[in-house]
Amino acid sequence: MSEVVIENKEYKRYYLFEYFFGQNMLISIIRLFGSPLMILMAIWIMLSEGWFLTVFAIIMVVYAIYFALIPWIYIYRNSANFTTTTIDVELDRDKISIVENGETKQYELLSFARIIKRKNYIIFRFKTKNEFYLPVDKLSKEELEIIERNLI
């Protein structure tokens, strides 16, 4: 059993990395470069003549700024989900037990939609799209071997 302390900053860093790079390549490119490209297009449209085009360009800039700030707005609105947490994790061959605040939850490893291993953390994604993260550096070698055998 490993006691895992996941800091507030770690949760936010994991979420932001998954938001920008955890999807397929096309979505990652759109999320990284979509807002700057929209702002450049809006500036180009503003330089052309016409009242309607100027209004359209201003709307584009506002939307581009919103699009760029979406992950940070999500973190701000759901700050209760990004708090420092101490959990006890116990991994068996086919299940994971998590003890948090005296409450024990057990999950079959096959019940997850996906288990994804990144460089610094492991994502356990449920079929309902909920997910939780475990830092790799805070798990024992035996636990990491069990997870690697069950990657989905």
Side-chain angles (χ1 to χ4, degrees):
M1 183 181 286
S2 296
E3 182 175 298
V4 178
V5 177
I6 305 173
E7 297 290 329
N8 181 0
K9 291 179 191 177
E10 286 178 303
Y11 270 132
K12 291 176 184 176
R13 189 173 53 232
Y14 299 157
Y15 171 75
L16 289 173
F17 186 84
E18 281 302 307
Y19 180 83
F20 287 109
F21 303 109
Q23 311 299 320
N24 64 34
M25 184 65 77
L26 179 63
I27 292 174
S28 294
I29 289 170
I30 290 170
R31 288 182 175 173
L32 284 173
F33 301 113
S35 289
L37 285 175
M38 284 176 34
I39 290 173
L40 288 175
M41 287 176 18
I43 291 170
W44 180 67
I45 290 172
M46 276 186 200
L47 296 177
S48 63
E49 297 196 20
W51 177 82
F52 176 75
L53 290 177
T54 304
V55 171
F56 180 71
I58 291 170
I59 291 170
M60 255 178 98
V61 167
V62 170
Y63 181 74
I65 292 170
Y66 167 74
F67 186 73
L69 295 177
I70 285 175
W72 287 275
I73 292 169
Y74 179 83
I75 288 173
Y76 176 74
R77 291 189 66 210
N78 297 305
S79 60
N81 295 338
F82 295 98
T83 57
T84 301
T85 307
T86 302
I87 57 175
D88 291 322
V89 176
E90 184 176 348
L91 280 155
D92 293 332
R93 282 186 310 165
D94 57 347
K95 68 179 178 179
I96 182 171
S97 300
I98 300 171
V99 179
E100 182 179 11
N101 299 330
E103 184 179 331
T104 303
K105 297 177 184 176
Q106 290 188 350
Y107 304 102
E108 297 287 327
L109 289 175
L110 294 175
S111 68
F112 292 105
R114 292 199 63 194
I115 300 174
I116 306 164
K117 185 172 188 257
R118 302 278 190 230
K119 182 179 178 183
N120 297 326
Y121 58 94
I122 298 167
I123 306 163
F124 292 89
R125 190 167 291 154
F126 294 98
K127 292 179 175 127
T128 60
K129 303 284 184 176
N130 290 338
E131 55 191 31
F132 68 92
Y133 309 103
L134 288 178
V136 169
D137 60 343
K138 297 179 182 174
L139 297 174
S140 68
K141 287 189 177 196
E142 296 83 22
E143 291 169 333
L144 288 173
E145 289 173 4
I146 291 170
I147 291 172
E148 287 181 12
R149 282 195 306 259
N150 289 291
L151 290 177
I152 302 172

